[in-house]
């Protein structure tokens, strides 16, 4: 479980494929790897991944953390398109006493949205994300959404997507500030909204409504 408050941007050291599994190696300062356990969960671009190996950095060498990403995850997310040197959003899982500044995020990605419009003003950046129509029913104006693991508030919703309004801090701390037209973002809709919509639809279908 995560909060959607990204802690840092990690760098992709290497990506390698073996059969249907991709080994993803990231570099990040020791501060984000201290007291880490093999098998721990970390949100990478919003995807809950399991740590299979890690090394703390020393001298001029930064720490590294390794993940195995299965084929199903590669199909549903943007992780399969990562290249060496790219930045990913990094958040370790919630622990007892963690401040919940965002919303509850499971790390299970529902779909991928594409950035199709950017509008920049002095202290504001508006992004329009297009996504498959089937997911729009779970997205509401002023509701929660996780975008590449960032807990954000939904702006205007249209027939084919929705707006995000991002402050400079979000653009600086996360990889959203590095995005360009055509960038793909991992999307996890708010689980409470998802559950309500699915329950109502099943009830109406059962009643023949």
């Amino acid at each position: 479980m995560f909060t959607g408050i990204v802690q840092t941007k990690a760098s992709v050291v290497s990506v390698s494929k073996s059969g249907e599994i991709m080994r993803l190696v990231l570099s990040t300062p020791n501060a984000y790897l201290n007291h880490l356990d093999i098998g721990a969960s970390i949100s990478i671009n919003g995807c809950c991944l399991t740590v299979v190996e890690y090394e703390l950095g020393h001298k001029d060498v930064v720490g590294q953390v390794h993940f195995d990403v299965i084929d199903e995850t590669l199909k549903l997310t943007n992780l399969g398109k990562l290249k060496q040197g790219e930045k990913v959003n990094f958040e370790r899982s919630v622990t007892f006493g963690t401040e919940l500044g965002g919303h509850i995020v499971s790390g299970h990605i529902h779909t991928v949205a594409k950035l199709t419009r950017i509008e920049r003003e002095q202290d504001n950046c508006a992004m329009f994300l297009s996504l498959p129509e089937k997911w729009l029913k779970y997205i509401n104006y002023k509701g929660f959404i996780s975008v590449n693991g960032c807990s954000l508030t939904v702006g205007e919703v249209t027939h084919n997507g929705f707006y995000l309004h991002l402050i400079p801090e979000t653009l600086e701390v996360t990889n959203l500030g590095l995005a360009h037209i055509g960038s793909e973002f991992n999307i996890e809709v708010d689980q409470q909204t998802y559950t309500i919509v699915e329950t109502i639809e099943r009830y109406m279908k059962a009643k023949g409504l």
Side-chain angles (χ1 to χ4, degrees), residues 106-126:
S106 70
H108 299 157
I109 303 302
H110 292 107
T111 188
V112 173
K114 181 173 289 188
L115 177 59
T116 56
R117 194 179 311 154
I118 302 177
E119 301 169 5
R120 295 186 183 274
E121 297 179 1
Q122 184 175 359
D123 293 315
N124 180 57
C125 176

Side-chain angles (χ1 to χ4, degrees), residues 39-202:
S41 296
I42 297 181
S43 171
I44 303 299
N45 274 1
C47 304
C48 179
L49 299 182
T50 301
V51 175
V52 296
E53 184 181 343
Y54 78 96
E55 310 94 37
L56 293 177
H58 59 280
K59 294 183 179 180
D60 296 329
V61 180
V62 295
Q64 294 188 356
V65 58
H66 303 234
F67 306 93
D68 285 336
V69 188
I70 61 174
D71 189 51
E72 181 69 11
T73 301
L74 297 176
K75 290 178 182 177
L76 293 175
T77 74
N78 60 17
L79 298 187
K81 296 182 179 180
L82 291 175
K83 295 180 175 60
Q84 185 179 30
E86 287 192 48
K87 301 291 187 180
V88 295
N89 292 332
F90 181 107
E91 182 196 351
R92 290 182 58 168
S93 57
V94 171
T95 58
F96 183 76
T98 298
E99 180 178 352
L100 185 59
H103 72 285
I104 296 300
V105 177
S106 70
H108 299 157
I109 303 302
H110 292 107
T111 188
V112 173
K114 181 173 289 188
L115 177 59
T116 56
R117 194 179 311 154
I118 302 177
E119 301 169 5
R120 295 186 183 274
E121 297 179 1
Q122 184 175 359
D123 293 315
N124 180 57
C125 176
M127 294 183 176
F128 183 80
L129 275 57
S130 299
L131 79 167
E133 183 180 358
K134 64 176 288 188
W135 294 104
L136 285 171
K137 61 186 176 182
Y138 307 110
I139 298 176
N140 298 303
Y141 176 62
K142 295 298 184 183
F144 286 125
I145 194 164
S146 172
V147 179
N148 263 11
C150 307
S151 174
L152 299 171
T153 302
V154 177
E156 178 187 356
V157 181
T158 72
H159 70 284
N160 65 340
F162 61 95
Y163 277 96
L164 296 173
H165 298 278
L166 307 175
I167 62 174
E169 176 70 8
T170 300
L171 297 173
E172 176 65 25
V173 173
T174 75
N175 64 5
L176 299 188
L178 303 174
H180 53 79
I181 299 298
S183 290
E184 295 185 341
F185 296 138
N186 293 329
I187 300 295
E188 180 185 334
V189 300
D190 177 52
Q191 190 60 45
Q192 185 175 5
T193 302
Y194 181 87
T195 301
I196 291 171
V197 171
E198 287 294 301
T199 300
I200 291 174
E201 287 191 344
R202 282 198 300 270

